Amino acid sequence: MDAEITLRVDGRPRQCTVDTRTTLLDTLREHLGVSAPKKGCDHGQCGSCTVLLDGRRVTTCLAFAVAQNGAEITTAEGLAGDGEHPMQRAFLDHDGFQCGFCTPGQICSAVGMVDEARAGWPSAVTPDVAGSVDIDDLDDAEIRERMSGNLCRCGAYVNIVSAIREAAR
Amino acid sequence: MIPFDYQPAENAEGAVATVARAPEATFLGGGTNLVDHMKLGLARPSLLVDVTTLPLDRIETLPDGGVRIGAGVRNSDAAAHPTIRERYPALAEALLSGASGQLRNLATTGGNLLQRTRCVYFQDVTTPCNKREPGSGCSALGGYTRYHAILGASSDCVAVHPSDMAVAMAALDAVVQVTGPGGQRDIPVVDLHRLPGDQPHRDTVLSHGDLITAVDLPPAPASRHSRYRKVRDRASYAFALVSVAAALDIEDGDVRAARVAFGGVSHKPWRARRAEDVLVEGPPTESTFWDAAEAELSDAEPLRGNEFKVPLARNTLVSVLREIVSEQR
Ligand SMILES: Cc1cc2nc3c(=O)[nH]c(=O)nc-3n(C[C@H](O)[C@H](O)[C@H](O)COP(=O)(O)OP(=O)(O)OC[C@H]3O[C@@H](n4cnc5c(N)ncnc54)[C@H](O)[C@@H]3O)c2cc1C
Ligand code: SF4
Ligand code: FES
Ligand code: FES
C-alpha cells in the first residue's frame, strides 16, 4: 500500500511515495539517495543506521517511514551543512575508524549522546541516578556505556572513545 | 512482509474500536519489537494503528502522590525524568539497562511491556515453537537454554519475558491502565503477564484491541530506596541472564516493607513474595538476606544448561539488598 510522505532531510524538504513496508533507512538510502546511514544488521542491533530524528538519535531500520511523516532528519552528511562538525573533526584527528562502515552511525549517535549528557540524562553506569549529571562527568566508562548501541566490526573503539571525549569538551 | 495499511490514531477509543474490529490489526508503538517481528515473519498484521500520535506522552503526578507514565512516553524520557529518578530509582536504572540509547529514544512504555520473548527458537520461523505455533513443540527443551526460565515454566514453554522495565514496575507495585472494547480497567503489572501453562502463545491477560494508556506508580516510602541490578553476558547492550529489582523501607533498624522481583527467570516478571515475607518485620541482616533468597528459589527448576541461574539469582538478590541497606545508613 503506497503512502505519500514528506521529510526534511539534512535541511532539505523531500517528498516521496513509499510502500508502507519501507523502513526509514531504506527510504533514505533507496528512495532519497542519502547513503550516509548504513544497513548493518537491519534488526536494531548494530547502530550503523543511526540518524538524528527531530534532534534525537535513533536507529532507522526498525521504523517505518510512513510513521515518521513530517519528521526532521539529520544524517552524518548533514550534521554541519557543507562544513565540518566538531565530532567529525575529532573522529578524523583520533583515527576513530578503520573501514568507516559504522562511522556515520557512530558520529550521529555520539552527537545525540553528548546532547543527552548535556541535558543531564543519567546512564546505566551513573553511580546515583537520582543525583545531577554534568557533562564533565562524561568519563570513558560513561562514553562506552552510552555508545554501546554502536558496534564497530573493525574494533576502532579505543579511538572512537577518545574522539568523543575530546569533542564533548 | 505482507502489505499493510497504516493509520495514525486520532483518539484512544477510536484506535481501540478500529483494532478490535479487525482481527489482523495491531497497535504500533516505537516499532522496535513489532517491526523486527514483521521482518522475521513472526507478526503479519494487515493494519497498523500508530498510537504514538495519541497524547499519551506525559509523565504526571497523581493526586495520591503517585506518578502516571503515559503509554507513549519513550523509555529514554521516563529514565531521565527527575521524579522517576528521585522517587523510583530502580525504574530509572532498569530502563537505562535496557537496549541502547538509540532504541530507548524510540521504545515506548506500552510497547516495552508487550515486547515478546527473545527465545532464539521463537524468533526463528524454521524451528518448532509452541508460542509461535501452538502444538508444534518446544525447541528450547533439550536445546539452548542459557536465556530460559528457572521458575514457573511448563513442559510447553520455558521462555522468559525480556523486559527490564517491567521487572522494576512489578517490584514497585505499578498498575497498568487499559482501555479495551468493553471500557477501561486497571491491571497490576504483576498480573499483566502470564505463566505459560498449556497456552504459551498468550503472553499476557490482554485481549485483542486492548490498548495500554498508562502505567501508574503508587507512592511508597520503600520505592525511594530501590535498586535494579542486571547480570548479563556482556557489560552493556545485552538481555539479562538474571536481574533483581528490590526496595526496602527500613525504620528503627527493622524492615517495614520489602519489594522484590526477579527478571530473566520466568515467563513473567517474577515478584518474589516469599522472599519479601522473610525480609519484613526484622532487622536487615546478612543471614535474613540468604534466607529470603533461599525461600524464593528453593523450588526453582533449572533446565539442563541454565543451572547456574539459581545461585546467580540468589547471589544477585543478596548483593542488591546489601547495597540498599548500606545506602540507608
Ligand atoms: C537490539 C535490541 C536490544 C534490546 N535490548 C533490550 C534489553 O536489554 N532490555 C529490554 O527490556 N528490552 C530490550 N529491547 C527491547 C525493547 O525494549 C523493546 O523493543 C521496546 O521496549 C518495545 O517498545 P516499542 O514502543 O518499540 O514497541 P513496538 O515494537 O511498537 O510494539 C511492541 C508490541 O506492543 C504492542 N503495543 C505497543 N504499544 C501499545 C499500547 N500502547 N497498547 C497496547 N499494545 C501496544 C504492539 O502492538 C506490539 O505487539 C531490545 C531491542 C532490540 C532491538
Ligand atoms: S521456550 Fe517457548 S518460545 Fe522458546 S521454543 Fe519453547 S515454546 Fe517457543
Ligand atoms: S542496521 Fe539498524 S541497527 Fe543495524
Ligand atoms: S570502522 Fe569498520 S566497522 Fe567500525
Side-chain angles (χ1 to χ4, degrees):
Chain A
M1 324 259 169
D2 283 347
E4 186 154 335
I5 58 165
T6 308
L7 300 168
R8 244 185 114 73
V9 182
D10 293 334
R12 289 199 295 147
R14 305 291 299 265
Q15 261 186 340
C16 63
T17 302
V18 290
D19 184 300
T20 49
R21 287 171 287 185
T22 319
T23 60
L24 184 55
L25 176 61
D26 286 342
T27 303
L28 291 169
R29 290 181 58 83
E30 313 298 335
H31 292 258
L32 301 176
V34 180
S35 58
K38 300 286 183 277
K39 188 186 282 192
C41 66
D42 216 20
H43 289 283
Q45 298 171 357
C46 75
S48 67
C49 64
T50 304
V51 304
L52 301 177
L53 173 77
D54 296 327
R56 290 153 61 110
R57 56 174 173 158
V58 299
T59 47
T60 50
C61 62
L62 295 182
F64 287 127
V66 63
Q68 308 304 328
N69 194 11
E72 165 100 42
I73 286 151
T74 308
T75 72
E77 242 171 88
L79 275 174
D82 290 333
E84 188 182 61
H85 189 280
M87 191 63 77
Q88 292 169 330
R89 184 73 250 162
F91 268 68
L92 286 167
D93 290 345
H94 288 259
D95 267 339
F97 54 89
Q98 289 175 38
C99 75
F101 189 85
C102 70
T103 316
Q106 297 277 3
I107 290 179
C108 285
S109 184
V111 169
M113 180 280 277
V114 170
D115 285 347
E116 292 166 4
R118 287 222 165 87
W121 289 17
S123 84
V125 299
T126 306
D128 176 14
V129 288
S132 67
V133 172
D134 192 276
I135 186 77
D136 296 328
D137 303 332
L138 200 67
D139 58 16
D140 287 5
E142 285 278 359
I143 293 172
R144 288 200 182 91
E145 163 57 30
R146 291 170 190 254
M147 290 295 295
S148 69
N150 290 86
L151 307 188
C152 174
R153 204 68 204 271
C154 299
Y157 296 112
V158 175
N159 295 351
I160 292 172
V161 170
S162 63
I164 297 173
R165 191 197 310 123
E166 176 175 303
R169 279 213 190 98
Chain B
M1 200 184 294
I2 61 164
F4 62 84
D5 269 323
Y6 168 85
Q7 271 181 32
E10 276 163 23
N11 55 65
E13 291 71 25
V16 168
T18 305
V19 170
R21 104 166 69 83
E24 303 301 323
T26 192
F27 300 116
L28 173 67
T32 61
N33 197 226
L34 182 59
V35 178
D36 202 8
H37 285 182
M38 290 168 73
K39 288 183 178 187
L40 293 166
L42 310 183
R44 300 165 60 83
S46 57
L47 170 63
L48 292 186
V49 177
D50 187 346
V51 294
T52 62
T53 56
L54 295 173
L56 300 174
D57 55 353
R58 283 187 284 271
I59 296 181
E60 49 201 2
T61 306
L62 296 169
D64 68 356
V67 172
R68 171 165 296 175
I69 305 175
V73 172
R74 309 291 171 162
N75 287 179
S76 54
D77 292 316
H81 197 277
T83 313
I84 306 288
R85 287 159 61 186
E86 203 180 296
R87 291 172 46 195
Y88 306 97
L91 178 55
E93 290 173 338
L95 283 160
L96 291 169
S97 76
S100 67
Q102 293 98 306
L103 290 163
R104 293 192 294 271
N105 276 336
L106 290 170
T108 63
T109 311
N112 189 317
L113 282 173
L114 298 186
Q115 64 174 301
R116 307 200 68 191
T117 185
R118 306 300 285 203
C119 170
V120 289
Y121 306 104
F122 171 71
Q123 293 178 288
D124 173 357
V125 294
T126 65
T127 55
C129 166
N130 287 325
K131 186 180 277 298
R132 188 164 27 75
E133 226 177 290
S136 62
C138 171
S139 300
L141 288 172
Y144 179 70
T145 57
R146 186 168 176 81
Y147 284 89
H148 289 76
I150 56 170
L151 288 164
S154 73
S155 55
D156 287 328
C157 178
V158 293
V160 302
H161 194 260
S163 168
D164 293 295
M165 180 193 80
V167 177
M169 286 180 170
L172 297 170
D173 287 320
V175 176
V176 185
Q177 302 291 329
V178 178
T179 298
Q184 230 261 285
R185 66 195 198 279
D186 313 336
I187 305 172
V189 168
V190 285
D191 298 330
L192 178 69
H193 301 91
R194 299 175 63 256
L195 289 178
D198 58 5
Q199 295 194 311
H201 61 285
R202 293 179 55 214
D203 293 352
T204 69
V205 300
L206 298 182
S207 308
H208 184 71
D210 278 339
L211 175 74
I212 296 180
T213 58
V215 175
D216 291 353
L217 296 162
S223 301
R224 280 181 190 267
H225 308 288
S226 63
R227 296 307 300 255
Y228 184 75
R229 191 173 310 172
K230 178 174 180 181
V231 184
R232 40 188 159 173
D233 276 329
R234 51 179 195 233
S236 185
Y237 203 22
F239 285 91
L241 287 165
V242 162
S243 70
V244 170
L248 292 179
D249 180 23
I250 303 168
E251 259 174 71
D252 304 327
D254 281 334
V255 176
R256 292 289 171 231
R259 312 260 184 278
V260 179
F262 286 107
V265 297
S266 181
H267 199 254
K268 59 186 291 187
W270 188 267
R271 180 73 184 256
R273 307 256 185 213
R274 286 201 245 163
E276 293 172 10
D277 288 344
V278 173
L279 291 167
V280 90
E281 298 305 342
T285 60
E286 187 77 14
S287 67
T288 326
F289 298 166
W290 289 109
D291 289 348
E294 192 50 40
E296 197 64 48
L297 293 158
S298 58
D299 38 63
E301 289 183 86
L303 304 158
R304 197 140 66 105
N306 74 2
E307 299 88 346
F308 71 92
K309 278 193 175 187
V310 180
L312 185 60
R314 193 186 290 131
N315 296 350
T316 308
L317 174 59
V318 171
S319 166
V320 170
L321 293 172
R322 259 187 218 139
E323 189 175 342
I324 295 174
V325 171
S326 73
E327 281 164 359
Q328 284 191 59
R329 282 218 175 93

